[in-house]
Amino acid sequence: MSAVKEGDYDGIREQIRGIMKQPGYDDGSAGPVLVRLAWHASGNFSLVEHTGGSNGAGMRFPPESVDPANAGLHHAISFCLPIQAANPWLSHSDLWTLAGITAIEAMGGPKIPWEPGRTDYSTAEAAAEHRGDISERLPDGALGADHIREVFGRMGFSDREIVALSGAHALGRCHEDRSGFEGQWVVNPIRFSNQYYKLLLRDIWKPRKWDGPFQYEATVAGTKLMMLPTDMALVQDPKFKPWVEKYAADQDLFFKDFSMAFAKLIELGVERDDTGFAQLVKKAAREGKPLDQTAQPSGGGCPFAGGKKRDAKL
C-alpha cells in the first residue's frame, strides 16, 4: 500500500474502502468489525473518572487488548495495519475511528462528523497510567434495560441516543468463540439500514434452545437470525420502545440520529484546545443530550466544519 500526503484524510478514506473487501472473513467484508473497533475503542469512556474513550488506542496493550469484551477485534486492527504502516503520520486512534465511520458510509449508512487529532500511547505503561481501570464498561448482551442505561449514561447518552446507537446491530454478527452468543441480527449484515428496528417489532422471536447463553432466534427470508436480551430490552422498556418504533418507520430519522450519536461517541475522551466540535460533545455528554439538541458552547463555531490536525496531549 502506498502512502498518501500527510493530512490527506480523503486519501485515507479511500484506503479504508480498499481494505473492506475480505473474502476470507465474515460475509466477505471487514466493514462491521471496523465499526465495532471504533465503538469499543470509544465506548469505555466515563464522565465520572474522565478516563477511557478513543484517544490513545489503548487496545494495543493489555489489559484492554485481552479484555473478553474485545475478543475478535485483533482482526480489525490487523486489517488497518497496512494503512498505518504506509502512513506513519496517522495515529492508530484516528485511523480506528475514521475506519469505523468510513465503513458505515460505505455500507450505505450516513455521513458522520469526524475530526482528527487523537494521539497514541507509546507504551503499555503510559496507557495504564493515564487510562486506569476501564474494565467492565462495555455492554453485556445478557442483561437488560437498567444495565444499558448504566453503561450509556456513564458516557452521557440519552434514551434516544441509546436506541439510535443500538442500530449498529444492523451490521455484523456474534461469534460463539468470542462473546458466547452466535448469529446475525438482520438478513443482510453488511448493509446499514433500519431493518434491525423493524425486526425487533415483529412478534417472531423465541428463546433459542441450545447450550449457549440465553438469546432469541427467528427465521426470516430463509435466514436464521438472533437477538440478544439487550436488544429485546429496547422493545420491552416503555421509554426505549417509542424510539424503536420511530426508527422502524423513518430511516432518514434513524440515520440523522445515529450520525449525531456516533460522532459524539468517537469524540469522547479526546482533549483538544478548541471551542468547536469537541467542546460541543463534552457539553452534550455532561447534559445527557443529543448533539443537535445541545446549545453551542460560548465562542463555538460550526461544530461540523473540517479542521486541521491538532495534537491531543496525554
Side-chain angles (χ1 to χ4, degrees):
M1 185 173 290
S2 60
V4 301
K5 183 179 179 181
E6 182 170 352
D8 179 8
Y9 294 103
D10 287 338
I12 297 297
R13 288 175 188 264
E14 285 302 313
Q15 292 188 335
I16 292 167
R17 293 186 185 98
I19 65 169
M20 284 185 57
K21 187 176 181 180
Q22 295 289 340
Y25 193 68
D26 287 353
D27 305 295
S29 175
V33 77
L34 293 176
V35 176
R36 182 168 171 251
L37 176 62
W39 210 117
H40 281 227
S42 308
N44 48 40
F45 178 73
S46 172
L47 282 168
V48 178
E49 291 89 355
H50 295 283
T51 56
S54 65
N55 213 31
M59 206 184 301
R60 293 172 298 135
F61 308 110
E64 200 169 341
S65 62
V66 295
D67 186 335
N70 294 327
L73 288 177
H74 64 282
H75 293 291
I77 294 172
S78 295
F79 293 146
C80 290
L81 284 179
I83 299 175
Q84 179 67 44
N87 302 281
W89 57 268
L90 178 66
S91 69
H92 290 274
S93 46
D94 270 348
L95 176 57
W96 293 357
T97 51
L98 184 56
I101 67 166
T102 301
I104 288 167
E105 185 179 346
M107 290 184 287
K111 289 182 177 292
I112 297 173
W114 178 88
E115 282 196 354
R118 296 163 188 80
T119 57
D120 295 335
Y121 298 117
S122 57
T123 65
E125 291 73 21
E129 180 180 356
H130 182 266
R131 212 159 174 80
D133 182 7
I134 59 169
S135 61
E136 299 184 0
R137 288 187 180 179
L138 294 166
D140 182 340
L143 301 180
D146 289 345
H147 169 71
I148 299 170
R149 285 196 175 91
E150 179 182 356
V151 168
F152 285 88
R154 187 199 67 241
M155 295 184 279
F157 287 110
S158 66
D159 283 358
R160 177 178 182 176
E161 292 172 303
I162 291 170
V163 179
L165 285 171
S166 297
H169 281 177
L171 302 173
R173 61 178 64 239
C174 288
H175 302 77
E176 189 175 355
D177 62 345
R178 300 178 192 177
S179 65
F181 301 105
E182 191 271 329
Q184 62 199 64
W185 289 269
V186 303
V187 174
N188 185 350
I190 58 174
R191 182 70 179 175
F192 196 83
S193 73
N194 66 340
Q195 188 188 39
Y196 168 75
Y197 303 107
K198 293 180 179 181
L199 290 169
L200 268 177
L201 293 170
R202 293 180 62 181
D203 186 22
I204 57 175
W205 300 102
K206 307 296 182 185
R208 179 177 178 179
K209 296 179 181 179
W210 72 318
D211 293 333
F214 182 82
Q215 64 180 70
Y216 297 86
E217 68 176 357
T219 300
V220 176
T223 303
K224 289 185 178 181
L225 305 179
M226 68 95 201
M227 290 286 175
L228 304 175
T230 46
D231 298 311
M232 299 305 293
L234 300 182
V235 291
Q236 294 164 349
D237 183 274
K239 293 184 178 179
F240 285 148
K241 187 175 181 180
W243 290 109
V244 174
E245 294 170 332
K246 289 177 187 292
Y247 296 147
D250 188 342
Q251 181 166 274
D252 289 341
L253 175 64
F254 164 51
F255 276 21
K256 179 183 75 71
D257 285 0
F258 181 87
S259 175
M260 294 295 98
F262 204 82
K264 177 176 171 180
L265 173 70
I266 61 176
E267 187 69 20
L268 293 173
V270 183
E271 298 295 332
R272 307 181 197 274
D273 297 327
D274 64 21
T275 56
F277 182 44
Q279 292 299 320
L280 180 69
V281 168
K282 291 177 185 176
K283 189 170 185 287
R286 289 195 303 269
E287 296 176 2
K289 294 180 179 179
L291 290 181
D292 59 352
Q293 295 183 9
T294 304
Q296 281 286 330
S298 177
C302 174
F304 309 128
K308 296 181 179 179
K309 178 178 179 180
R310 291 178 294 274
D311 287 335
K313 305 300 182 183
L314 298 180

